[in-house]
Amino acid sequence: FFRLSFAMAAVKATLTKSLRDAAKNFDASPVAKAFLMRAVPKDFYNRQTNRWQPYPSEADPDTEALLDRLLGEKGMFYKPLGTPLEQVIGERFPETNDFDIKSAFATLKFLNDTWESAQKHYAVAAAEDGKDEPPSSTPPISSLEETTEPVSGCLLVTHPGSVEPCFGRAVMVLGRHDDEGENAETAGSCAWIINKPTNTTLGKIMSAAASPMPGSEQLRRVAEVFEDEPIYIGGPCGSPMIVLHTVDELEGCSTKIHDGLYFGYQDCLETALELIDEESAKPSDFKLVLGTSLWGKEQLVGEMKQNHWVLVKGSAESIRHVATEHVKPSDDSESMLASLQGTMVSPDGAQLWGKVMSSLPGEYSAFGCLAPIQRHSLDLAMASFHALK
């Protein structure tokens, strides 16, 4: 009995050291923490009832407690804790050996497999980029910080672990948020992706039309003046083309998003012609966006709890800078098709995502240097999660 107890204590001591060593790897390279995630969310949004509902879980309570500590109670992805991972693991598996050995082995496998998945991603990204080192961060944008209160004018930045086709590496500007309204059709949130340009311009759309563009001379002039401006994909939901701009003189025909930042529609461009003629504005002051991103009542807040999004606030100047920065589209044919579908982000668009993420404090700044995660890069992380069940 004593020999068995001594042997068990030795195994637990070795496990404790291995767990701490694994955690130290992540603390020394926090960008790898972006790969810490659940394979299945704990709840989902039911669009018929406009309510969140729980997914049935097969994970044991000890595993759920660990993941809740690492990712948050509802977290799908890792969110910087402000606490070293080594400390979190030490609290869960103390040196007093007062822990379940099966849970410790599963956790060690989860950490090691996730680390291996991250290292493989770095190797693939370096080979594709032709470099043997991760990209350096871009100069930060001043005054940006994380917030938990979604209000008009905030930025929504996709978590690096999210590989959803339309929202991967997306930077969005929140145009409306209202979870208090009783009307299900108007309650919820609306935002536009601002870093996914297409190779299509307003001029190309007009020239491709089967017949001459109908309408007034004013409308024809709009097409002519803005013919070289690219069209951005704002989201998967259909909507009229909207115009993001910073021209205060057009506040009368626009809706204010933030101090000095507005959105309007076609009539906004028609009104802008006079300012452009007077050289008080120029076509590049306007960003043309097709499509929008919509959330039902309480849906966006729920996705934030899952850590799908990093909500960012900042000064009026910083928000305007991000929202109106023009992004170059990709120029190869495959990327052109994907950009039209909104399923990819160009290198320039990914750089804007990285610039915003790198401007945030703590481990978020490390995430900004991470090359886009592909679905195949997550296979090991998903498999290791299932090992915890």
Side-chain angles (χ1 to χ4, degrees), residues 307-385:
N307 303 331
H308 279 280
W309 306 101
V310 182
L311 187 67
V312 178
K313 66 178 182 179
S315 67
E317 181 181 0
S318 296
I319 297 298
R320 288 198 304 268
H321 169 74
V322 174
T324 59
E325 180 169 328
H326 282 264
V327 176
K328 295 178 182 178
S330 296
D331 53 9
D332 63 273
S333 57
E334 182 178 348
S335 297
M336 287 171 62
L337 176 60
S339 71
L340 285 170
Q341 297 169 335
T343 58
M344 72 152 292
V345 60
S346 68
D348 216 36
Q351 186 177 41
L352 179 58
W353 176 92
K355 187 188 297 184
V356 174
M357 189 68 76
S358 296
S359 301
L360 300 176
E363 293 174 336
Y364 281 127
S365 61
F367 289 176
C369 301
L370 184 63
I373 297 175
Q374 304 300 324
R375 174 63 65 177
H376 61 75
S377 297
L378 301 180
D379 289 345
L380 271 175
M382 297 296 98
S384 63
F385 171 87

Side-chain angles (χ1 to χ4, degrees), residues 269-337:
L269 293 181
E270 295 178 11
T271 307
L273 291 177
E274 183 176 344
L275 295 175
I276 293 173
D277 289 341
E278 296 172 352
E279 298 185 351
S280 299
K282 54 187 183 296
S284 59
D285 290 335
F286 302 84
K287 182 176 280 190
L288 312 181
V289 184
L290 273 178
T292 187
S293 303
L294 299 173
W295 291 263
K297 185 176 181 178
E298 299 180 358
Q299 184 180 4
L300 177 59
V301 171
E303 290 183 4
M304 287 169 54
K305 290 178 180 178
Q306 291 180 331
N307 303 331
H308 279 280
W309 306 101
V310 182
L311 187 67
V312 178
K313 66 178 182 179
S315 67
E317 181 181 0
S318 296
I319 297 298
R320 288 198 304 268
H321 169 74
V322 174
T324 59
E325 180 169 328
H326 282 264
V327 176
K328 295 178 182 178
S330 296
D331 53 9
D332 63 273
S333 57
E334 182 178 348
S335 297
M336 287 171 62
L337 176 60

